[in-house]
Amino acid sequence: MTKPSIASEQIIPPGKPWSAVLKHRQRLRIIDIEGEQGVDFLCYAAANPEERYHAANTLKKSKTLLLSKGHALYSDVARPLMTIVDDTCGFHDTIGGCCSAPSNEMLYGVKNMPGCRENFLHELAKYGLGRRDIVANLNFFCNVPVHEHNRLDPLTFAKSPSKPGNYIELRADMDVVAIISNCPQVNNPCNSGVPKPIKVIVFDA
């Protein structure tokens, strides 16, 4: 079997964003280099960004809160945008959403601490998109435990179960805009208090 060629490869520093237009059937591999690092993710149809990742459709089709290999990310019009084709971690949150300066103040009493929402806004602007285009996102390598009686922990996010070198790989099922925030959060355990770099590789179809 021919090894796929690498279209691009980049280290994303702690707390920084990344985005790219992925062509149909290109693959995106996100590698947690050092382990225990949350990665916030959104994707949109490149031809019409009004079509974008839809958490409810994705969860209804997958029948689980924990997405992994074989699950597709569905859009608001119930079309697959991307499919998870490999996953060495097995924990990817679908309900916690992104951190932000307002939510950091609301939850932790910390002012003027930007988060993944601000990173999303920075990258969305490159494609003519903005605040109205942020939807409930995925959090790769993150664990939000749901306990008896549907109770969440006070900090919502538990320590990431991801080990050094764990990765998730997604195939574009159409041309998509993929957006990442390498989470800067230090107020809950999602990054074990120390945001770390990740590697992003785009493979040609």
Side-chain angles (χ1 to χ4, degrees):
M1 187 176 188
T2 304
K3 187 176 180 180
S5 61
I6 294 176
S8 66
E9 184 173 357
Q10 188 174 348
I11 299 293
I12 311 303
K16 297 300 182 180
W18 174 93
S19 66
V21 176
L22 304 178
K23 297 298 184 180
H24 182 217
R25 300 199 69 80
Q26 282 190 317
R27 294 187 178 200
L28 172 66
R29 180 177 293 187
I30 303 167
I31 305 170
D32 186 1
I33 300 171
E34 298 180 26
E36 300 179 357
Q37 174 61 32
V39 178
D40 290 39
F41 183 80
L42 285 171
C43 58
Y44 304 76
N48 176 19
E50 287 189 0
E51 182 178 359
R52 70 279 308 269
Y53 171 71
H54 192 273
N57 281 343
T58 299
L59 297 181
K60 284 183 285 189
K61 180 64 174 177
S62 65
K63 299 181 177 65
T64 177
L65 291 175
L66 292 178
L67 302 180
S68 189
K69 184 177 179 178
H71 292 132
L73 311 186
Y74 280 86
S75 75
D76 57 305
V77 292
R79 295 201 302 166
L81 294 164
M82 306 187 79
T83 296
I84 301 171
V85 294
D86 207 354
D87 175 22
T88 64
C89 176
F91 278 88
H92 307 289
D93 164 62
T94 54
I95 60 176
C98 62
C99 60
S100 67
S103 69
N104 281 331
E105 183 172 358
M106 174 187 73
L107 294 172
Y108 314 116
V110 180
K111 294 185 177 182
N112 302 317
M113 181 174 284
C116 292
R117 178 177 180 272
E118 287 74 24
N119 278 343
F120 283 153
L121 288 170
H122 179 273
E123 293 302 305
L124 286 167
K126 297 178 180 180
Y127 307 94
L129 305 173
R131 177 179 173 184
R132 293 182 178 182
D133 301 295
I134 295 180
V135 295
N137 62 282
L138 285 159
N139 294 305
F140 295 137
F141 314 119
C142 287
N143 182 21
V144 175
V146 179
H147 301 286
E148 189 177 6
H149 306 304
N150 299 318
R151 180 180 60 83
L152 298 175
D153 287 323
L155 291 176
T156 307
F157 285 85
K159 181 179 178 180
S160 170
S162 183
K163 305 300 182 185
N166 275 172
Y167 65 86
I168 187 167
E169 185 167 319
L170 304 102
R171 181 192 66 227
D173 294 324
M174 63 177 74
D175 291 358
V176 297
V177 176
I179 298 183
I180 285 172
S181 172
N182 189 20
C183 184
Q185 184 60 259
V186 296
N187 298 294
N188 69 46
C190 73
N191 299 325
S192 297
V194 184
K196 297 167 285 293
I198 59 171
K199 180 183 281 188
V200 173
I201 304 174
V202 176
F203 294 102
D204 283 325

